[in-house]
Amino acid sequence: QKSEASTRKASQKLQTAAFHSVEGLKQMVRSLMPAGRPSLRLPPHVSEARVLSDLDYLVTTLNVGLLSPEDQEKVVRRYGHFEIFFTDLWDWRAPVDSLQVLYEHWREDPIMQKEAANVFQEGQSWQGSYYCTQGRTKFSLDITAVKVVDGKEQVQADLTFTIAKK
């Protein structure tokens, strides 16, 4: 029984990974625009023109609206969630090398890490929505505890999904 209980408790923990995400891309792009906050500088071997070209290519490739309705349905069925589609394109199918380099540079930059510190606070409620195979899905993330372990923040939260009826 103890083993079963610990397995159940472990399966309820959400582990996040450092894969590419839409929100990560938005934050990286924002960090390139100095607006009274710390900003990221491009690595010397990455030009602005190349970054803009790669961003344009990635966004165009992500635009499933350019596909036929049958192909759009195939994409939705294959990936289920947009973030999975996004990550697959970025990591494997779209040659956006400058974005790969810049994203890692942004992710590891100490100033950017400092800017992201203490974002989550106990008692906060984060809410949003997204679309996937079941349609519009609302979610809320209610922060129940935040602690620092080995220099990294650990966040405990209740994650709730609500699927809108058709």
Side-chain angles (χ1 to χ4, degrees):
Q1 268 190 354
K2 187 175 182 179
S3 167
E4 184 180 321
S6 65
T7 301
R8 191 174 332 112
K9 187 174 182 180
S11 70
Q12 294 173 342
K13 291 186 180 201
L14 175 67
Q15 298 292 322
T16 58
F19 69 89
H20 302 110
S21 69
V22 173
E23 185 59 32
L25 178 65
K26 287 179 3 185
Q27 293 297 328
M28 180 192 77
V29 170
R30 283 188 195 119
S31 76
L32 294 170
M33 301 180 287
R37 62 174 191 216
S39 61
L40 183 67
R41 293 178 42 174
L42 292 176
H45 63 285
V46 177
S47 71
E48 288 179 17
R50 179 65 191 267
V51 170
L52 290 173
S53 175
D54 282 356
L55 274 169
D56 181 61
Y57 181 81
L58 181 63
V59 169
T60 301
T61 305
L62 288 167
N63 188 355
V64 294
L66 299 174
L67 300 174
S68 70
E70 298 82 26
D71 287 339
Q72 289 178 21
E73 188 175 326
K74 287 178 187 174
V75 168
V76 170
R77 253 191 268 123
R78 177 175 182 184
Y79 293 99
H81 289 274
F82 181 78
E83 287 287 340
I84 297 169
F85 174 54
F86 175 83
T87 301
D88 185 51
L89 282 177
W90 180 323
D91 286 344
W92 302 107
R93 300 177 191 281
V96 288
D97 295 339
S98 72
L99 297 182
Q100 298 277 23
V101 169
L102 187 58
Y103 192 83
E104 289 306 311
H105 182 68
W106 167 77
R107 218 169 56 82
E108 298 297 327
D109 187 279
I111 293 172
M112 298 298 117
Q113 294 290 322
K114 186 176 181 182
E115 186 178 56
N118 302 314
V119 170
F120 294 106
Q121 302 293 321
E122 186 174 331
Q124 285 178 327
S125 181
W126 295 69
Q127 298 169 4
S129 65
Y130 64 94
Y131 291 88
C132 66
T133 54
Q134 72 267 10
R136 184 167 186 234
T137 303
K138 294 180 182 181
F139 66 90
S140 65
L141 182 71
D142 299 306
I143 311 301
T144 58
V146 179
K147 61 185 174 181
V148 177
V149 176
D150 298 326
K152 295 186 180 190
E153 291 179 358
Q154 286 187 354
V155 178
Q156 278 189 298
D158 294 325
L159 180 60
T160 305
F161 295 93
T162 306
I163 301 170
K165 293 183 178 181
K166 292 183 179 183

